[in-house]
Amino acid sequence: MHILNTFGLCGALSMALLAGQANADSASHAAQAERFLELVNADRIAVPVYAQVQQMFAERFEQTQAPESKRGLLESYQSKADAALDKAIGWEQVKPDLVALYTETFSEPELDQLNEFYESELGKKMLTQLPQLNARSAQVTQSKLESAVPQVNKLLAEMTAELDTQKKP
């Protein structure tokens, strides 16, 4: 009986040690994800949303033809909107979810490799050039797409006409 208790105690101790190791691994994995998010400036992901909301308030201010003496009111509401956005999508609100997303998607060694890359000169260049590359890529695609629009519209009209003739008994 004494041997079973000792065996059970050893098993429980082993489980506790493994759980502690899993928590340490989990914390290390999360730290790697957090480092990656720092490197790619994920804390700035919501900046365009803030700018868009600020623009909405400024446009509404202009639409109402408010006098310049009321600009303080505009700024007050823009600050309130920023505070509301901070509560919803501020970095401290989204960071835990993003860390979880990245730890679910990438293993710790993969995050380590990504971090190594983005800490390198090439990785830093990639980060600085990527927004411009994405914008220019979208322009290229848009210009190519314009040539297909007439054909797509023609096909859509043909399909609509064919479906309309099939409705008739």
Side-chain angles (χ1 to χ4, degrees):
M1 185 73 162
H2 179 59
I3 290 177
L4 287 178
N5 284 339
T6 304
F7 202 56
L9 182 60
C10 286
L13 184 57
S14 294
M15 294 295 281
L17 289 173
L18 287 174
Q21 180 63 40
N23 284 340
D25 289 347
S26 177
S28 175
H29 194 181
Q32 288 286 7
E34 208 167 317
R35 177 70 184 131
F36 174 76
L37 292 169
E38 287 172 17
L39 288 168
V40 299
N41 301 310
D43 60 329
R44 296 188 210 148
I45 199 167
V47 168
V49 175
Y50 283 78
Q52 188 176 10
V53 169
Q54 293 293 312
Q55 184 64 32
M56 283 177 17
F57 277 86
E59 287 173 5
R60 182 61 54 91
F61 184 78
E62 294 298 321
Q63 288 170 356
T64 62
Q65 299 177 343
E68 192 59 32
S69 63
K70 296 288 185 180
R71 184 153 299 276
L73 184 69
L74 165 65
E75 291 167 1
S76 169
Y77 275 94
Q78 286 176 322
S79 292
K80 290 175 185 177
D82 280 349
L85 290 172
D86 285 344
K87 283 184 179 180
I89 61 170
W91 180 238
E92 293 307 314
Q93 275 59 45
V94 299
K95 182 168 73 170
D97 294 332
L98 292 178
V99 167
L101 177 66
Y102 278 82
T103 56
E104 290 168 11
T105 305
F106 298 103
S107 69
E108 187 173 352
E110 289 171 331
L111 284 166
D112 187 45
Q113 289 174 1
L114 284 168
N115 291 341
E116 233 178 83
F117 172 71
Y118 283 110
E119 288 170 334
S120 73
E121 290 306 311
L122 180 59
K124 290 174 185 175
K125 181 178 182 179
M126 178 73 164
L127 286 172
T128 59
Q129 296 297 315
L130 196 56
Q132 184 181 19
L133 287 170
N134 284 339
R136 290 175 62 193
S137 297
Q139 288 173 343
V140 167
T141 303
Q142 182 65 32
S143 68
K144 303 282 185 194
L145 177 64
E146 288 173 6
S147 67
V149 169
Q151 181 65 27
V152 170
N153 285 338
K154 181 179 178 231
L155 291 169
L156 186 60
E158 288 173 6
M159 182 189 77
T160 303
E162 192 173 330
L163 289 171
D164 284 345
T165 60
Q166 292 178 5
K167 282 185 191 176
K168 299 174 185 173

